[in-house]
Amino acid sequence: MPAPEHDPYAVLGVPPSASAREITVAYRRLVRTLHPDTGAGRPDARHGLDEVLAAYRTLHDPRRRAAHDATRRRRERSRRPATDAQPVVRVHRSEAPIRLRTGPVRMEFTYELPLRRDERDAVESLLAWLLRPLRGRDD
């Protein structure tokens, strides 16, 4: 795999979303221009050709390309500045109705609070009112 500063996509001049056909076309175009037989007058042609061959070797093989893309994504994630932002929490809400199956339930409440007589009467009446829907079922 090429060194981190030599991105095969940049060497071939294609975007990371390029298809295999686009990669091959870019590779062939560059080989024609950088090959020693056609570019004999340029001293950097041999080095450029080596980079193009290495980039094509990486991107032409699906396994190597997938490994390179994974490494590239990890490297880009590590370069991002750390932020203090909280992660986004997504809650999935089901549109289906909730159906609960319940059996008979017997509830018993025991409470002991040091209350004055008027406070105790108020709490007892509140509890009686809250438990009113349940009273007729289990008696």
PDB file of all heavy atoms in Angstrom, residues 4-42:
ATOM      1  N   PRO A   4       1.059   7.213   3.208  1.00  0.00           N
ATOM      2  CA  PRO A   4      -0.139   8.026   3.449  1.00  0.00           C
ATOM      3  C   PRO A   4      -0.203   9.299   2.626  1.00  0.00           C
ATOM      4  O   PRO A   4      -1.263   9.744   2.251  1.00  0.00           O
ATOM      5  CB  PRO A   4      -0.061   8.352   4.937  1.00  0.00           C
ATOM      6  CG  PRO A   4       0.858   7.347   5.530  1.00  0.00           C
ATOM      7  CD  PRO A   4       1.748   6.888   4.435  1.00  0.00           C
ATOM      8  N   GLU A   5       0.968   9.920   2.316  1.00  0.00           N
ATOM      9  CA  GLU A   5       0.904  11.165   1.557  1.00  0.00           C
ATOM     10  C   GLU A   5       0.604  10.941   0.079  1.00  0.00           C
ATOM     11  O   GLU A   5       0.276  11.867  -0.635  1.00  0.00           O
ATOM     12  CB  GLU A   5       2.196  11.973   1.728  1.00  0.00           C
ATOM     13  CG  GLU A   5       3.446  11.294   1.233  1.00  0.00           C
ATOM     14  CD  GLU A   5       4.145  10.462   2.307  1.00  0.00           C
ATOM     15  OE1 GLU A   5       3.672  10.401   3.435  1.00  0.00           O
ATOM     16  OE2 GLU A   5       5.178   9.861   1.972  1.00  0.00           O
ATOM     17  N   HIS A   6       0.738   9.695  -0.393  1.00  0.00           N
ATOM     18  CA  HIS A   6       0.448   9.397  -1.797  1.00  0.00           C
ATOM     19  C   HIS A   6      -0.902   8.691  -1.886  1.00  0.00           C
ATOM     20  O   HIS A   6      -0.990   7.475  -1.764  1.00  0.00           O
ATOM     21  CB  HIS A   6       1.547   8.529  -2.407  1.00  0.00           C
ATOM     22  CG  HIS A   6       2.885   9.194  -2.403  1.00  0.00           C
ATOM     23  ND1 HIS A   6       3.176  10.288  -3.170  1.00  0.00           N
ATOM     24  CD2 HIS A   6       4.009   8.925  -1.698  1.00  0.00           C
ATOM     25  CE1 HIS A   6       4.420  10.658  -2.952  1.00  0.00           C
ATOM     26  NE2 HIS A   6       4.947   9.862  -2.059  1.00  0.00           N
ATOM     27  N   ASP A   7      -1.934   9.465  -2.091  1.00  0.00           N
ATOM     28  CA  ASP A   7      -3.270   8.901  -2.198  1.00  0.00           C
ATOM     29  C   ASP A   7      -3.446   8.353  -3.611  1.00  0.00           C
ATOM     30  O   ASP A   7      -3.280   9.084  -4.588  1.00  0.00           O
ATOM     31  CB  ASP A   7      -4.316   9.991  -1.907  1.00  0.00           C
ATOM     32  CG  ASP A   7      -5.724   9.458  -1.923  1.00  0.00           C
ATOM     33  OD1 ASP A   7      -5.892   8.246  -1.657  1.00  0.00           O
ATOM     34  OD2 ASP A   7      -6.646  10.239  -2.191  1.00  0.00           O
ATOM     35  N   PRO A   8      -3.779   7.068  -3.761  1.00  0.00           N
ATOM     36  CA  PRO A   8      -3.911   6.493  -5.101  1.00  0.00           C
ATOM     37  C   PRO A   8      -4.977   7.194  -5.943  1.00  0.00           C
ATOM     38  O   PRO A   8      -4.847   7.293  -7.156  1.00  0.00           O
ATOM     39  CB  PRO A   8      -4.294   5.039  -4.853  1.00  0.00           C
ATOM     40  CG  PRO A   8      -4.145   4.785  -3.421  1.00  0.00           C
ATOM     41  CD  PRO A   8      -3.981   6.073  -2.726  1.00  0.00           C
ATOM     42  N   TYR A   9      -6.034   7.666  -5.297  1.00  0.00           N
ATOM     43  CA  TYR A   9      -7.069   8.376  -6.041  1.00  0.00           C
ATOM     44  C   TYR A   9      -6.514   9.676  -6.621  1.00  0.00           C
ATOM     45  O   TYR A   9      -6.798  10.026  -7.765  1.00  0.00           O
ATOM     46  CB  TYR A   9      -8.268   8.675  -5.132  1.00  0.00           C
ATOM     47  CG  TYR A   9      -9.002   7.427  -4.685  1.00  0.00           C
ATOM     48  CD1 TYR A   9      -8.923   6.987  -3.370  1.00  0.00           C
ATOM     49  CD2 TYR A   9      -9.767   6.697  -5.573  1.00  0.00           C
ATOM     50  CE1 TYR A   9      -9.593   5.854  -2.957  1.00  0.00           C
ATOM     51  CE2 TYR A   9     -10.445   5.568  -5.167  1.00  0.00           C
ATOM     52  CZ  TYR A   9     -10.355   5.143  -3.858  1.00  0.00           C
ATOM     53  OH  TYR A   9     -11.024   4.013  -3.456  1.00  0.00           O
ATOM     54  N   ALA A  10      -5.712  10.377  -5.833  1.00  0.00           N
ATOM     55  CA  ALA A  10      -5.111  11.626  -6.309  1.00  0.00           C
ATOM     56  C   ALA A  10      -4.082  11.345  -7.399  1.00  0.00           C
ATOM     57  O   ALA A  10      -3.971  12.110  -8.364  1.00  0.00           O
ATOM     58  CB  ALA A  10      -4.470  12.373  -5.149  1.00  0.00           C
ATOM     59  N   VAL A  11      -3.325  10.266  -7.261  1.00  0.00           N
ATOM     60  CA  VAL A  11      -2.308   9.927  -8.267  1.00  0.00           C
ATOM     61  C   VAL A  11      -2.974   9.657  -9.610  1.00  0.00           C
ATOM     62  O   VAL A  11      -2.506  10.130 -10.658  1.00  0.00           O
ATOM     63  CB  VAL A  11      -1.474   8.708  -7.809  1.00  0.00           C
ATOM     64  CG1 VAL A  11      -0.590   8.208  -8.937  1.00  0.00           C
ATOM     65  CG2 VAL A  11      -0.630   9.068  -6.587  1.00  0.00           C
ATOM     66  N   LEU A  12      -4.079   8.906  -9.584  1.00  0.00           N
ATOM     67  CA  LEU A  12      -4.765   8.590 -10.843  1.00  0.00           C
ATOM     68  C   LEU A  12      -5.706   9.712 -11.284  1.00  0.00           C
ATOM     69  O   LEU A  12      -6.184   9.698 -12.419  1.00  0.00           O
ATOM     70  CB  LEU A  12      -5.550   7.283 -10.711  1.00  0.00           C
ATOM     71  CG  LEU A  12      -4.716   6.015 -10.522  1.00  0.00           C
ATOM     72  CD1 LEU A  12      -5.616   4.800 -10.386  1.00  0.00           C
ATOM     73  CD2 LEU A  12      -3.738   5.824 -11.666  1.00  0.00           C
ATOM     74  N   GLY A  13      -5.992  10.635 -10.392  1.00  0.00           N
ATOM     75  CA  GLY A  13      -6.869  11.751 -10.745  1.00  0.00           C
ATOM     76  C   GLY A  13      -8.333  11.358 -10.843  1.00  0.00           C
ATOM     77  O   GLY A  13      -9.067  11.892 -11.682  1.00  0.00           O
ATOM     78  N   VAL A  14      -8.760  10.442  -9.980  1.00  0.00           N
ATOM     79  CA  VAL A  14     -10.160  10.013  -9.965  1.00  0.00           C
ATOM     80  C   VAL A  14     -10.726  10.232  -8.558  1.00  0.00           C
ATOM     81  O   VAL A  14      -9.980  10.229  -7.581  1.00  0.00           O
ATOM     82  CB  VAL A  14     -10.313   8.520 -10.363  1.00  0.00           C
ATOM     83  CG1 VAL A  14      -9.902   8.296 -11.801  1.00  0.00           C
ATOM     84  CG2 VAL A  14      -9.531   7.622  -9.444  1.00  0.00           C
ATOM     85  N   PRO A  15     -12.038  10.407  -8.457  1.00  0.00           N
ATOM     86  CA  PRO A  15     -12.641  10.547  -7.117  1.00  0.00           C
ATOM     87  C   PRO A  15     -12.722   9.188  -6.427  1.00  0.00           C
ATOM     88  O   PRO A  15     -12.678   8.147  -7.087  1.00  0.00           O
ATOM     89  CB  PRO A  15     -14.039  11.092  -7.420  1.00  0.00           C
ATOM     90  CG  PRO A  15     -14.333  10.624  -8.792  1.00  0.00           C
ATOM     91  CD  PRO A  15     -13.021  10.603  -9.524  1.00  0.00           C
ATOM     92  N   PRO A  16     -12.846   9.168  -5.102  1.00  0.00           N
ATOM     93  CA  PRO A  16     -12.964   7.893  -4.380  1.00  0.00           C
ATOM     94  C   PRO A  16     -14.193   7.073  -4.785  1.00  0.00           C
ATOM     95  O   PRO A  16     -14.218   5.866  -4.578  1.00  0.00           O
ATOM     96  CB  PRO A  16     -13.067   8.314  -2.908  1.00  0.00           C
ATOM     97  CG  PRO A  16     -12.407   9.642  -2.855  1.00  0.00           C
ATOM     98  CD  PRO A  16     -12.692  10.292  -4.175  1.00  0.00           C
ATOM     99  N   SER A  17     -15.177   7.701  -5.364  1.00  0.00           N
ATOM    100  CA  SER A  17     -16.370   6.969  -5.792  1.00  0.00           C
ATOM    101  C   SER A  17     -16.251   6.446  -7.220  1.00  0.00           C
ATOM    102  O   SER A  17     -17.230   5.955  -7.780  1.00  0.00           O
ATOM    103  CB  SER A  17     -17.592   7.886  -5.678  1.00  0.00           C
ATOM    104  OG  SER A  17     -17.418   9.013  -6.524  1.00  0.00           O
ATOM    105  N   ALA A  18     -15.071   6.519  -7.809  1.00  0.00           N
ATOM    106  CA  ALA A  18     -14.876   6.108  -9.203  1.00  0.00           C
ATOM    107  C   ALA A  18     -15.109   4.609  -9.373  1.00  0.00           C
ATOM    108  O   ALA A  18     -14.783   3.811  -8.494  1.00  0.00           O
ATOM    109  CB  ALA A  18     -13.468   6.467  -9.664  1.00  0.00           C
ATOM    110  N   SER A  19     -15.655   4.272 -10.523  1.00  0.00           N
ATOM    111  CA  SER A  19     -15.884   2.857 -10.819  1.00  0.00           C
ATOM    112  C   SER A  19     -14.578   2.219 -11.281  1.00  0.00           C
ATOM    113  O   SER A  19     -13.584   2.897 -11.555  1.00  0.00           O
ATOM    114  CB  SER A  19     -16.938   2.722 -11.914  1.00  0.00           C
ATOM    115  OG  SER A  19     -16.437   3.253 -13.127  1.00  0.00           O
ATOM    116  N   ALA A  20     -14.587   0.889 -11.385  1.00  0.00           N
ATOM    117  CA  ALA A  20     -13.396   0.170 -11.843  1.00  0.00           C
ATOM    118  C   ALA A  20     -13.035   0.582 -13.269  1.00  0.00           C
ATOM    119  O   ALA A  20     -11.854   0.712 -13.617  1.00  0.00           O
ATOM    120  CB  ALA A  20     -13.637  -1.331 -11.771  1.00  0.00           C
ATOM    121  N   ARG A  21     -14.029   0.836 -14.077  1.00  0.00           N
ATOM    122  CA  ARG A  21     -13.787   1.268 -15.467  1.00  0.00           C
ATOM    123  C   ARG A  21     -13.104   2.633 -15.509  1.00  0.00           C
ATOM    124  O   ARG A  21     -12.163   2.839 -16.277  1.00  0.00           O
ATOM    125  CB  ARG A  21     -15.125   1.303 -16.227  1.00  0.00           C
ATOM    126  CG  ARG A  21     -15.038   1.773 -17.633  1.00  0.00           C
ATOM    127  CD  ARG A  21     -14.455   0.698 -18.528  1.00  0.00           C
ATOM    128  NE  ARG A  21     -14.357   1.209 -19.883  1.00  0.00           N
ATOM    129  CZ  ARG A  21     -13.337   0.962 -20.667  1.00  0.00           C
ATOM    130  NH1 ARG A  21     -12.364   0.179 -20.267  1.00  0.00           N
ATOM    131  NH2 ARG A  21     -13.297   1.451 -21.873  1.00  0.00           N
ATOM    132  N   GLU A  22     -13.565   3.573 -14.677  1.00  0.00           N
ATOM    133  CA  GLU A  22     -12.952   4.905 -14.641  1.00  0.00           C
ATOM    134  C   GLU A  22     -11.500   4.835 -14.150  1.00  0.00           C
ATOM    135  O   GLU A  22     -10.640   5.560 -14.653  1.00  0.00           O
ATOM    136  CB  GLU A  22     -13.753   5.831 -13.715  1.00  0.00           C
ATOM    137  CG  GLU A  22     -15.127   6.185 -14.250  1.00  0.00           C
ATOM    138  CD  GLU A  22     -15.979   6.910 -13.219  1.00  0.00           C
ATOM    139  OE1 GLU A  22     -15.896   6.587 -12.027  1.00  0.00           O
ATOM    140  OE2 GLU A  22     -16.720   7.825 -13.640  1.00  0.00           O
ATOM    141  N   ILE A  23     -11.235   3.956 -13.222  1.00  0.00           N
ATOM    142  CA  ILE A  23      -9.865   3.788 -12.721  1.00  0.00           C
ATOM    143  C   ILE A  23      -8.962   3.239 -13.815  1.00  0.00           C
ATOM    144  O   ILE A  23      -7.847   3.718 -14.022  1.00  0.00           O
ATOM    145  CB  ILE A  23      -9.869   2.871 -11.477  1.00  0.00           C
ATOM    146  CG1 ILE A  23     -10.528   3.609 -10.309  1.00  0.00           C
ATOM    147  CG2 ILE A  23      -8.463   2.428 -11.106  1.00  0.00           C
ATOM    148  CD1 ILE A  23     -10.791   2.753  -9.100  1.00  0.00           C
ATOM    149  N   THR A  24      -9.449   2.254 -14.556  1.00  0.00           N
ATOM    150  CA  THR A  24      -8.662   1.677 -15.648  1.00  0.00           C
ATOM    151  C   THR A  24      -8.395   2.701 -16.738  1.00  0.00           C
ATOM    152  O   THR A  24      -7.276   2.786 -17.259  1.00  0.00           O
ATOM    153  CB  THR A  24      -9.387   0.448 -16.233  1.00  0.00           C
ATOM    154  OG1 THR A  24      -9.600  -0.488 -15.177  1.00  0.00           O
ATOM    155  CG2 THR A  24      -8.582  -0.204 -17.337  1.00  0.00           C
ATOM    156  N   VAL A  25      -9.394   3.493 -17.093  1.00  0.00           N
ATOM    157  CA  VAL A  25      -9.217   4.511 -18.132  1.00  0.00           C
ATOM    158  C   VAL A  25      -8.180   5.541 -17.696  1.00  0.00           C
ATOM    159  O   VAL A  25      -7.284   5.912 -18.473  1.00  0.00           O
ATOM    160  CB  VAL A  25     -10.575   5.189 -18.461  1.00  0.00           C
ATOM    161  CG1 VAL A  25     -10.377   6.422 -19.307  1.00  0.00           C
ATOM    162  CG2 VAL A  25     -11.493   4.203 -19.159  1.00  0.00           C
ATOM    163  N   ALA A  26      -8.243   5.995 -16.449  1.00  0.00           N
ATOM    164  CA  ALA A  26      -7.276   6.971 -15.950  1.00  0.00           C
ATOM    165  C   ALA A  26      -5.879   6.363 -15.909  1.00  0.00           C
ATOM    166  O   ALA A  26      -4.893   7.026 -16.265  1.00  0.00           O
ATOM    167  CB  ALA A  26      -7.690   7.443 -14.564  1.00  0.00           C
ATOM    168  N   TYR A  27      -5.771   5.118 -15.492  1.00  0.00           N
ATOM    169  CA  TYR A  27      -4.479   4.431 -15.443  1.00  0.00           C
ATOM    170  C   TYR A  27      -3.855   4.350 -16.833  1.00  0.00           C
ATOM    171  O   TYR A  27      -2.692   4.700 -17.027  1.00  0.00           O
ATOM    172  CB  TYR A  27      -4.671   3.034 -14.854  1.00  0.00           C
ATOM    173  CG  TYR A  27      -3.540   2.084 -15.128  1.00  0.00           C
ATOM    174  CD1 TYR A  27      -2.323   2.211 -14.471  1.00  0.00           C
ATOM    175  CD2 TYR A  27      -3.680   1.045 -16.053  1.00  0.00           C
ATOM    176  CE1 TYR A  27      -1.287   1.338 -14.728  1.00  0.00           C
ATOM    177  CE2 TYR A  27      -2.654   0.170 -16.314  1.00  0.00           C
ATOM    178  CZ  TYR A  27      -1.455   0.316 -15.641  1.00  0.00           C
ATOM    179  OH  TYR A  27      -0.421  -0.542 -15.902  1.00  0.00           O
ATOM    180  N   ARG A  28      -4.623   3.917 -17.817  1.00  0.00           N
ATOM    181  CA  ARG A  28      -4.081   3.780 -19.180  1.00  0.00           C
ATOM    182  C   ARG A  28      -3.665   5.121 -19.768  1.00  0.00           C
ATOM    183  O   ARG A  28      -2.649   5.225 -20.454  1.00  0.00           O
ATOM    184  CB  ARG A  28      -5.111   3.096 -20.075  1.00  0.00           C
ATOM    185  CG  ARG A  28      -5.257   1.627 -19.747  1.00  0.00           C
ATOM    186  CD  ARG A  28      -6.262   0.950 -20.629  1.00  0.00           C
ATOM    187  NE  ARG A  28      -6.374  -0.461 -20.276  1.00  0.00           N
ATOM    188  CZ  ARG A  28      -7.332  -1.256 -20.693  1.00  0.00           C
ATOM    189  NH1 ARG A  28      -8.281  -0.798 -21.476  1.00  0.00           N
ATOM    190  NH2 ARG A  28      -7.364  -2.513 -20.322  1.00  0.00           N
ATOM    191  N   ARG A  29      -4.443   6.152 -19.487  1.00  0.00           N
ATOM    192  CA  ARG A  29      -4.103   7.486 -19.983  1.00  0.00           C
ATOM    193  C   ARG A  29      -2.769   7.957 -19.394  1.00  0.00           C
ATOM    194  O   ARG A  29      -1.896   8.462 -20.104  1.00  0.00           O
ATOM    195  CB  ARG A  29      -5.224   8.468 -19.630  1.00  0.00           C
ATOM    196  CG  ARG A  29      -4.968   9.901 -20.055  1.00  0.00           C
ATOM    197  CD  ARG A  29      -6.108  10.837 -19.689  1.00  0.00           C
ATOM    198  NE  ARG A  29      -6.752  10.567 -18.401  1.00  0.00           N
ATOM    199  CZ  ARG A  29      -6.297  10.990 -17.211  1.00  0.00           C
ATOM    200  NH1 ARG A  29      -5.202  11.696 -17.147  1.00  0.00           N
ATOM    201  NH2 ARG A  29      -6.952  10.701 -16.108  1.00  0.00           N
ATOM    202  N   LEU A  30      -2.585   7.745 -18.091  1.00  0.00           N
ATOM    203  CA  LEU A  30      -1.351   8.174 -17.441  1.00  0.00           C
ATOM    204  C   LEU A  30      -0.150   7.338 -17.873  1.00  0.00           C
ATOM    205  O   LEU A  30       0.957   7.865 -18.030  1.00  0.00           O
ATOM    206  CB  LEU A  30      -1.515   8.121 -15.918  1.00  0.00           C
ATOM    207  CG  LEU A  30      -2.393   9.204 -15.324  1.00  0.00           C
ATOM    208  CD1 LEU A  30      -2.690   8.915 -13.865  1.00  0.00           C
ATOM    209  CD2 LEU A  30      -1.723  10.556 -15.472  1.00  0.00           C
ATOM    210  N   VAL A  31      -0.347   6.029 -18.064  1.00  0.00           N
ATOM    211  CA  VAL A  31       0.759   5.176 -18.509  1.00  0.00           C
ATOM    212  C   VAL A  31       1.240   5.609 -19.894  1.00  0.00           C
ATOM    213  O   VAL A  31       2.436   5.649 -20.162  1.00  0.00           O
ATOM    214  CB  VAL A  31       0.346   3.690 -18.491  1.00  0.00           C
ATOM    215  CG1 VAL A  31       1.330   2.826 -19.270  1.00  0.00           C
ATOM    216  CG2 VAL A  31       0.240   3.193 -17.065  1.00  0.00           C
ATOM    217  N   ARG A  32       0.290   5.967 -20.774  1.00  0.00           N
ATOM    218  CA  ARG A  32       0.683   6.433 -22.115  1.00  0.00           C
ATOM    219  C   ARG A  32       1.541   7.695 -22.045  1.00  0.00           C
ATOM    220  O   ARG A  32       2.477   7.848 -22.806  1.00  0.00           O
ATOM    221  CB  ARG A  32      -0.560   6.704 -22.959  1.00  0.00           C
ATOM    222  CG  ARG A  32      -0.958   5.518 -23.790  1.00  0.00           C
ATOM    223  CD  ARG A  32      -2.084   5.850 -24.750  1.00  0.00           C
ATOM    224  NE  ARG A  32      -3.230   5.043 -24.348  1.00  0.00           N
ATOM    225  CZ  ARG A  32      -4.393   5.505 -23.933  1.00  0.00           C
ATOM    226  NH1 ARG A  32      -4.606   6.794 -23.878  1.00  0.00           N
ATOM    227  NH2 ARG A  32      -5.351   4.697 -23.592  1.00  0.00           N
ATOM    228  N   THR A  33       1.212   8.591 -21.122  1.00  0.00           N
ATOM    229  CA  THR A  33       1.975   9.844 -21.057  1.00  0.00           C
ATOM    230  C   THR A  33       3.273   9.695 -20.278  1.00  0.00           C
ATOM    231  O   THR A  33       4.243  10.413 -20.565  1.00  0.00           O
ATOM    232  CB  THR A  33       1.140  10.960 -20.399  1.00  0.00           C
ATOM    233  OG1 THR A  33       0.760  10.557 -19.091  1.00  0.00           O
ATOM    234  CG2 THR A  33      -0.095  11.274 -21.219  1.00  0.00           C
ATOM    235  N   LEU A  34       3.332   8.783 -19.298  1.00  0.00           N
ATOM    236  CA  LEU A  34       4.522   8.679 -18.451  1.00  0.00           C
ATOM    237  C   LEU A  34       5.468   7.542 -18.833  1.00  0.00           C
ATOM    238  O   LEU A  34       6.543   7.427 -18.251  1.00  0.00           O
ATOM    239  CB  LEU A  34       4.092   8.479 -16.983  1.00  0.00           C
ATOM    240  CG  LEU A  34       3.344   9.638 -16.343  1.00  0.00           C
ATOM    241  CD1 LEU A  34       2.853   9.242 -14.956  1.00  0.00           C
ATOM    242  CD2 LEU A  34       4.223  10.866 -16.278  1.00  0.00           C
ATOM    243  N   HIS A  35       5.097   6.723 -19.770  1.00  0.00           N
ATOM    244  CA  HIS A  35       5.940   5.587 -20.142  1.00  0.00           C
ATOM    245  C   HIS A  35       7.278   6.092 -20.684  1.00  0.00           C
ATOM    246  O   HIS A  35       7.329   7.089 -21.412  1.00  0.00           O
ATOM    247  CB  HIS A  35       5.234   4.709 -21.184  1.00  0.00           C
ATOM    248  CG  HIS A  35       5.851   3.369 -21.302  1.00  0.00           C
ATOM    249  ND1 HIS A  35       6.922   3.113 -22.128  1.00  0.00           N
ATOM    250  CD2 HIS A  35       5.561   2.195 -20.675  1.00  0.00           C
ATOM    251  CE1 HIS A  35       7.268   1.848 -22.024  1.00  0.00           C
ATOM    252  NE2 HIS A  35       6.446   1.269 -21.145  1.00  0.00           N
ATOM    253  N   PRO A  36       8.394   5.405 -20.364  1.00  0.00           N
ATOM    254  CA  PRO A  36       9.717   5.860 -20.831  1.00  0.00           C
ATOM    255  C   PRO A  36       9.842   5.960 -22.349  1.00  0.00           C
ATOM    256  O   PRO A  36      10.599   6.792 -22.856  1.00  0.00           O
ATOM    257  CB  PRO A  36      10.679   4.805 -20.286  1.00  0.00           C
ATOM    258  CG  PRO A  36       9.966   4.159 -19.151  1.00  0.00           C
ATOM    259  CD  PRO A  36       8.502   4.267 -19.458  1.00  0.00           C
ATOM    260  N   ASP A  37       9.107   5.132 -23.072  1.00  0.00           N
ATOM    261  CA  ASP A  37       9.198   5.198 -24.532  1.00  0.00           C
ATOM    262  C   ASP A  37       8.565   6.477 -25.078  1.00  0.00           C
ATOM    263  O   ASP A  37       9.014   6.995 -26.109  1.00  0.00           O
ATOM    264  CB  ASP A  37       8.517   3.986 -25.173  1.00  0.00           C
ATOM    265  CG  ASP A  37       9.260   2.693 -24.872  1.00  0.00           C
ATOM    266  OD1 ASP A  37      10.447   2.780 -24.502  1.00  0.00           O
ATOM    267  OD2 ASP A  37       8.652   1.615 -24.995  1.00  0.00           O
ATOM    268  N   THR A  38       7.538   6.982 -24.428  1.00  0.00           N
ATOM    269  CA  THR A  38       6.870   8.186 -24.929  1.00  0.00           C
ATOM    270  C   THR A  38       7.354   9.449 -24.239  1.00  0.00           C
ATOM    271  O   THR A  38       7.335  10.516 -24.823  1.00  0.00           O
ATOM    272  CB  THR A  38       5.343   8.084 -24.736  1.00  0.00           C
ATOM    273  OG1 THR A  38       5.064   7.888 -23.360  1.00  0.00           O
ATOM    274  CG2 THR A  38       4.779   6.951 -25.566  1.00  0.00           C
ATOM    275  N   GLY A  39       7.802   9.353 -22.983  1.00  0.00           N
ATOM    276  CA  GLY A  39       8.240  10.539 -22.253  1.00  0.00           C
ATOM    277  C   GLY A  39       9.709  10.457 -21.910  1.00  0.00           C
ATOM    278  O   GLY A  39      10.106  10.736 -20.776  1.00  0.00           O
ATOM    279  N   ALA A  40      10.560  10.075 -22.840  1.00  0.00           N
ATOM    280  CA  ALA A  40      11.984   9.865 -22.580  1.00  0.00           C
ATOM    281  C   ALA A  40      12.699  11.154 -22.183  1.00  0.00           C
ATOM    282  O   ALA A  40      13.698  11.112 -21.488  1.00  0.00           O
ATOM    283  CB  ALA A  40      12.647   9.266 -23.809  1.00  0.00           C
ATOM    284  N   GLY A  41      12.174  12.297 -22.586  1.00  0.00           N
ATOM    285  CA  GLY A  41      12.848  13.555 -22.302  1.00  0.00           C
ATOM    286  C   GLY A  41      12.619  14.052 -20.887  1.00  0.00           C
ATOM    287  O   GLY A  41      13.332  14.930 -20.402  1.00  0.00           O
ATOM    288  N   ARG A  42      11.667  13.495 -20.162  1.00  0.00           N
ATOM    289  CA  ARG A  42      11.376  13.970 -18.806  1.00  0.00           C
ATOM    290  C   ARG A  42      12.039  13.064 -17.776  1.00  0.00           C
ATOM    291  O   ARG A  42      11.820  11.851 -17.766  1.00  0.00           O
ATOM    292  CB  ARG A  42       9.862  13.984 -18.573  1.00  0.00           C
ATOM    293  CG  ARG A  42       9.176  15.033 -19.433  1.00  0.00           C
ATOM    294  CD  ARG A  42       7.730  15.092 -19.101  1.00  0.00           C
ATOM    295  NE  ARG A  42       7.193  13.710 -19.192  1.00  0.00           N
ATOM    296  CZ  ARG A  42       5.928  13.436 -19.397  1.00  0.00           C
ATOM    297  NH1 ARG A  42       5.068  14.401 -19.530  1.00  0.00           N
ATOM    298  NH2 ARG A  42       5.515  12.189 -19.475  1.00  0.00           N
TER     299      ARG A  42
END
